Amino acid sequence: MAAACSFRSVARAPLPLRRGFARRRGPRCCSAAPPSGGGATSSTASSSKLVLEVKERLEREHPGLPTGRNGRDDEEMILWFLKDRKFSVDETVSKLTKAIKWRQDFRLSELSEESVKGLYQTGKAYVHDSFDIYGRPVLVVVASKHFPSKQDPVENEKLCAFLVEKALSRLPLGTENILGIFDLRGFQVENGDLQFLKFLIDVFYYYYPKRLGQVLFVDAPFVFQPMWQLVKPLLKQYASLVRFCDVETVRKEYFTEETLGEYQNHRD
């Protein structure tokens, strides 16, 4: 399917790989606290108490889980999951345990730019080098370059996890989530991959809750509709995050003129 204008006028191809994740520019979570009638001080004390309770339960019930950043004693992550679970300690312990175990089993800490280099260089997915107008890091997926019959599904999952981590590592101060853009121009039946989409849904629901602020499906062709009908029920209430739009809408509503100027010389 021919595009009216290049998506790279909005989202350029991936930059040359650099060693390590981009340096985090802000905290991983906000200072959310459960409702309280005692004002900010009381709310902060209440949330701190719940964080400590979750941390102690994880240490007692799951001593084998790793510690440190993204581990069972990471108070910022505990607070974020408490917020996601509406400050239910039981639900937070359950969901956080699953997330930490996934990170451990997936060996997420061992992923590197070198380890995903092969698929990354195809340009099928990358983190935009500019933020959108809301200050969110942008994760771009070019669906026409995804070939599930030819590409290793495990390697696809590794690339996905690595790029989500990279996008989140760039969160500016005060920004809590990222923008996902699926460039669907040129999408064909052979690019469809329901299993990978299920994996992606699990990633953002179970392991990175509330980190995906919005998803744009750009210039979706008619052949994408059957795939959407299969995926939409899996998203449940999160389907409201999805917006179908054209590339001009992305350029005009999600990026500044200054940002667009950066890409005027990057058209295909």
Side-chain angles (χ1 to χ4, degrees):
M1 171 179 162
C5 63
S6 174
F7 191 71
R8 291 174 190 248
S9 62
V10 179
R12 67 183 295 178
L15 297 178
L17 292 175
R18 298 185 295 273
R19 297 182 64 84
F21 292 140
R23 184 174 182 178
R24 184 176 298 280
R25 293 169 49 174
R28 287 197 300 278
C29 65
C30 64
S31 56
S36 173
T41 302
S42 178
S43 295
T44 301
S46 179
S47 62
S48 298
K49 182 179 178 180
L50 291 175
V51 167
L52 181 60
E53 184 177 348
V54 170
K55 185 162 67 170
E56 290 176 344
R57 279 191 54 179
L58 288 172
E59 180 181 8
R60 183 173 63 253
E61 299 172 11
H62 305 280
L65 292 178
T67 57
R69 181 184 173 189
N70 296 314
R72 58 177 168 80
D73 60 346
D74 185 330
E75 295 187 0
E76 285 185 289
M77 187 166 71
I78 291 173
L79 179 56
W80 185 265
F81 274 72
L82 274 167
K83 176 187 174 184
D84 172 62
R85 294 292 87 196
K86 299 180 180 179
F87 294 92
S88 165
V89 170
D90 288 340
E91 291 184 19
T92 299
V93 169
S94 176
K95 190 166 185 176
L96 195 49
T97 298
K98 183 173 183 177
I100 297 173
K101 284 183 176 178
W102 173 78
R103 297 182 69 92
Q104 187 177 38
D105 295 342
F106 203 74
R107 297 184 177 181
L108 194 58
S109 63
E110 299 177 19
L111 293 181
S112 66
E113 292 176 333
E114 185 64 27
S115 70
V116 300
K117 183 178 179 180
L119 282 181
Y120 182 89
Q121 289 184 330
T122 67
K124 65 186 295 180
Y126 54 93
V127 176
H128 195 309
D129 55 321
S130 290
F131 302 102
D132 72 358
I133 62 171
Y134 303 104
R136 298 177 296 192
V138 181
L139 179 57
V140 181
V141 176
V142 182
S144 63
K145 296 182 179 181
H146 180 70
F147 296 98
S149 64
K150 300 177 181 178
Q151 297 164 344
D152 187 334
V154 175
E155 295 304 311
N156 280 321
E157 292 177 1
K158 288 180 179 180
L159 177 63
C160 169
F162 177 80
L163 290 177
V164 170
E165 283 282 312
K166 184 173 182 179
L168 291 175
S169 76
R170 300 185 68 219
L171 283 173
L173 182 65
T175 303
E176 300 178 351
N177 49 51
I178 66 177
L179 172 67
I181 297 180
F182 283 79
D183 181 1
L184 295 170
R185 292 172 302 157
F187 177 89
Q188 300 293 333
V189 174
E190 58 265 29
N191 304 127
D193 190 348
L194 185 59
Q195 287 304 118
F196 178 74
L197 288 174
K198 288 180 178 179
F199 168 79
L200 196 58
I201 291 169
D202 283 350
V203 162
F204 281 107
Y205 179 78
Y206 293 109
Y207 315 133
Y208 300 96
K210 290 185 169 61
R211 289 305 192 185
L212 190 61
Q214 190 174 19
V215 180
L216 304 181
F217 284 173
V218 181
D219 283 337
F222 180 77
V223 294
F224 178 74
Q225 293 307 313
M227 179 65 66
W228 172 241
Q229 294 306 314
L230 292 173
V231 171
K232 187 176 180 179
L234 301 177
L235 293 173
K236 299 179 181 178
Q237 69 268 29
Y238 294 101
S240 62
L241 297 179
V242 175
R243 179 184 183 185
F244 284 82
C245 60
D246 58 26
V247 69
E248 286 300 320
T249 298
V250 179
R251 296 177 67 236
K252 292 176 181 178
E253 297 186 18
Y254 291 88
F255 292 88
T256 65
E257 288 300 321
E258 180 180 359
T259 302
L260 288 175
E262 297 177 12
Y263 305 111
Q264 287 176 353
N265 297 321
H266 292 279
R267 296 177 184 273
D268 286 338

